[in-house]
Amino acid sequence: MRYLLLFILILLFTIMYFMDAPHFTTGNPTQRLISYFNFLLFFSSIITVSQYFWPGDKNQAAFQMFNMLFAVVFYIVSFTYLVNHKDAYDGYMYLTGFGCIQHFALRWDIFSIMFWFILVSFCINILYLVRYRDGAPVYS
């Protein structure tokens, strides 16, 4: 049941993503690559959230740590690219570096929603690691 729910969620999000992201197939190759990794990060975040709320018999702390590291590295690279190439994006040309990041996070399109979900999943990763810090799943 859990995997069916995850599959339906991924399928719906994939449809929404490709409807809202025309630059995924026509833009700069770096922008396409960043969009692709953003999509992968979002899917791995969905998996980590599902592992927290529906734990199995195996401890998934390694995957949780991977997801946290992936998120940190991805957003360092992508925000640096956004700030350094803000003229390639509509509405970012005259913003400061912090203004670019703030505009990205608060514009409430599909990428912003993905960002906030990944941020929440980062916090859930921390909770997972605290919950299973001894190495074995605890069922209460």
Side-chain angles (χ1 to χ4, degrees), residues 65-104:
M65 288 188 286
F66 163 76
N67 190 51
M68 291 173 64
L69 182 63
F70 185 23
V72 168
V73 170
F74 172 76
Y75 280 115
I76 287 173
V77 170
S78 64
F79 283 153
T80 303
Y81 182 82
L82 174 65
V83 170
N84 290 333
H85 298 90
K86 59 187 171 187
D87 55 335
Y89 296 95
D90 293 332
Y92 288 89
M93 185 176 292
Y94 300 109
L95 297 175
T96 64
F98 181 73
C100 288
I101 296 169
Q102 184 180 14
H103 182 69
F104 170 79

Side-chain angles (χ1 to χ4, degrees), residues 19-116:
M19 288 176 66
D20 193 42
H23 75 276
F24 190 77
T25 57
T26 60
N28 181 338
T30 307
Q31 291 173 345
R32 286 186 289 183
L33 193 61
I34 288 173
S35 295
Y36 178 72
F37 279 108
N38 191 18
F39 203 53
L40 292 177
L41 178 60
F42 178 73
F43 284 142
S44 68
S45 296
I46 289 173
I47 293 169
T48 59
V49 170
S50 69
Q51 288 173 350
Y52 179 79
F53 289 110
W54 297 288
D57 295 334
K58 293 175 59 178
N59 186 348
Q60 300 292 333
F63 187 72
Q64 302 286 329
M65 288 188 286
F66 163 76
N67 190 51
M68 291 173 64
L69 182 63
F70 185 23
V72 168
V73 170
F74 172 76
Y75 280 115
I76 287 173
V77 170
S78 64
F79 283 153
T80 303
Y81 182 82
L82 174 65
V83 170
N84 290 333
H85 298 90
K86 59 187 171 187
D87 55 335
Y89 296 95
D90 293 332
Y92 288 89
M93 185 176 292
Y94 300 109
L95 297 175
T96 64
F98 181 73
C100 288
I101 296 169
Q102 184 180 14
H103 182 69
F104 170 79
L106 299 177
R107 64 183 177 177
W108 297 112
D109 66 349
I110 196 73
F111 294 105
S112 176
I113 293 169
M114 288 171 65
F115 168 74
W116 286 106

